[in-house]
């Protein structure tokens, strides 16, 4: 899949098909996750895969009004230990730990689309509750839970979001209103890019059909 197509085709999905995600697909996504850039090349982020209904329900209970999350085929808890980063970089290490996790999450969300999957980055949860569910109590203070990622085959096609143009958020040389890129260049109208965005919007349905054809209707682990 074209990289830009995956970037523009990514959407947060909160309604999933029940299809199980094969482990070989999940582990491709995890490989993409751990290939993200990381400060000082220190792997501060790790992931916990939650697949059983029991665990997913507990995670749902730790979220703020987000019952939909337990219907995702998998939930991935993105956890972090900033210790080595803070030893090396002091206070700034904490920021690096969060940035490391953000890069990991975005890689997963982009890679998931190669397999017709989408995910949602979930930040609204009680961290202490999630920790209670996932770790032993004597390890709780060593772990931060940065996010949950719900992943699966989409069963909804979310509405178009209000357009945010790069020219609204990009400044030239300094962060001053007069230096807004939109004041200097006409709105981005690169036909190749527009084409990619259009293709990305049509893609999810097509990929789903291709996937179903390829591995059959009941996708089972290791099939
Ligand atoms: C740090 C962060 C926290 C988020 N937390 C939640 C959340 O708790 N629940 C949720 O449904 N979506 C959450 N989202 C997803 C955003 O709502 C979503 O990305 C945004 O509305 C744009 O929609 P899109 O992802 O479809 O482009 C979060 C996204 C980020 C980056």
């Amino acid at each position: 899949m074209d990289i830009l197509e995956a970037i523009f085709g990514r959407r947060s999905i909160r309604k999933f098909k029940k299809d199980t995600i094969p482990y070989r697909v999940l582990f491709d996504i995890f490989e993409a996750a751990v290939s993200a850039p990381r400060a000082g090349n220190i792997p501060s982020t790790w992931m916990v895969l939650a697949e059983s209904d029991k665990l997913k329900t507990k995670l749902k209970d730790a979220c703020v009004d987000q019952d939909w999350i337990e219907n995702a085929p998998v939930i991935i808890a993105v956890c972090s230990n900033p210790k080595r980063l803070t030893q090396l970089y002091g206070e700034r290490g904490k920021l690096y730990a969060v940035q490391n996790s953000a890069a990991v999450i975005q890689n997963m969300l982009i890679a998931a689309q190669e397999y017709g999957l989408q995910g949602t980055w979930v930040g609204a949860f009680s961290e202490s509750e999630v920790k209670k569910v996932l770790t032993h109590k004597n390890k709780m203070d060593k772990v931060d839970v940065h996010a949950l990622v719900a992943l699966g085959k989409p069963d909804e096609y979310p509405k178009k979001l209000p357009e945010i143009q790069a020219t609204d958020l990009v400044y030239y040389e300094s962060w001053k209103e007069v230096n807004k890129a939109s004041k200097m260049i006409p709105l981005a109208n690169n036909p190749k890019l527009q084409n990619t965005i259009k293709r990305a919007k049509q893609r999810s349905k097509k990929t789903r059909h291709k996937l179903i054809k390829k591995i059959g209707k009941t996708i089972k682990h290791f099939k």
Side-chain angles (χ1 to χ4, degrees):
M1 176 188 282
D2 183 286
I3 295 169
L4 288 179
E5 209 178 316
I7 289 171
F8 292 121
R10 185 210 56 76
R11 289 303 308 277
S12 295
I13 294 293
R14 298 172 184 90
K15 205 166 165 226
F16 298 95
K17 301 251 184 212
K18 290 201 183 318
D19 307 49
T20 310
I21 309 174
Y23 288 138
R24 63 176 170 73
V25 168
L26 278 172
F27 276 84
D28 281 1
I29 293 168
F30 289 137
E31 291 295 351
V34 302
S35 301
R38 57 181 87 92
N41 199 25
I42 293 168
S44 57
T45 299
W46 74 94
M47 288 149 281
V48 181
L49 174 65
E51 198 184 25
S52 67
D53 289 341
K54 198 172 153 201
L55 184 52
K56 286 190 293 182
T57 301
K58 284 186 183 167
L59 289 173
K60 181 265 293 178
D61 291 340
C63 288
V64 185
D65 287 337
Q66 308 208 64
D67 288 358
W68 59 268
I69 199 174
E70 71 177 328
N71 297 323
V74 299
I75 301 173
I76 297 155
V78 178
C79 306
S80 170
N81 182 345
K83 193 172 165 203
R84 281 182 65 204
L85 285 169
T86 47
Q87 278 168 348
L88 256 174
Y89 302 113
E91 269 299 293
R92 198 134 183 98
K94 289 186 188 161
L95 174 64
Y96 292 164
V98 175
Q99 292 182 1
N100 281 356
S101 290
V104 159
I105 296 166
Q106 184 70 355
N107 265 21
M108 283 199 280
L109 295 177
I110 298 301
Q113 289 176 85
E114 178 67 20
Y115 305 97
L117 307 172
Q118 290 276 14
T120 293
W121 180 330
V122 171
F125 55 84
S126 154
E127 190 174 357
S128 59
E129 288 303 313
V130 172
K131 280 192 205 179
K132 263 190 230 159
V133 171
L134 295 179
T135 52
H136 193 267
K137 63 174 181 293
N138 62 14
K139 291 233 168 93
M140 299 241 296
D141 57 343
K142 296 191 175 71
V143 182
D144 295 324
V145 185
H146 283 161
L148 300 175
V149 175
L151 207 63
K153 269 170 85 177
D155 196 17
E156 65 169 348
Y157 297 95
K159 285 202 192 92
K160 205 166 160 267
L161 290 168
E163 293 278 339
I164 299 173
Q165 302 275 350
T167 41
D168 294 333
L169 299 177
V170 178
Y171 295 76
Y172 181 68
E173 301 261 325
S174 83
W175 184 9
K176 282 195 243 154
E177 207 47 33
V178 287
N179 287 358
K180 264 247 170 104
S182 55
K183 300 218 158 79
M184 282 166 241
I185 52 168
L187 281 187
N189 193 18
N190 171 350
K192 194 173 165 230
L193 191 67
Q194 298 307 329
N195 234 341
T196 305
I197 295 174
K198 211 165 121 197
R199 271 209 321 276
K201 283 176 184 156
Q202 297 162 345
R203 184 195 52 80
S204 43
K205 215 171 174 182
K206 262 200 282 176
T207 313
R208 205 179 73 229
H209 284 126
K210 237 168 69 190
L211 199 78
I212 290 171
K213 234 169 135 187
K214 204 164 149 198
I215 43 184
K217 271 197 170 124
T218 46
I219 301 172
K220 291 271 186 294
H221 290 156
F222 298 117
K223 192 167 176 181

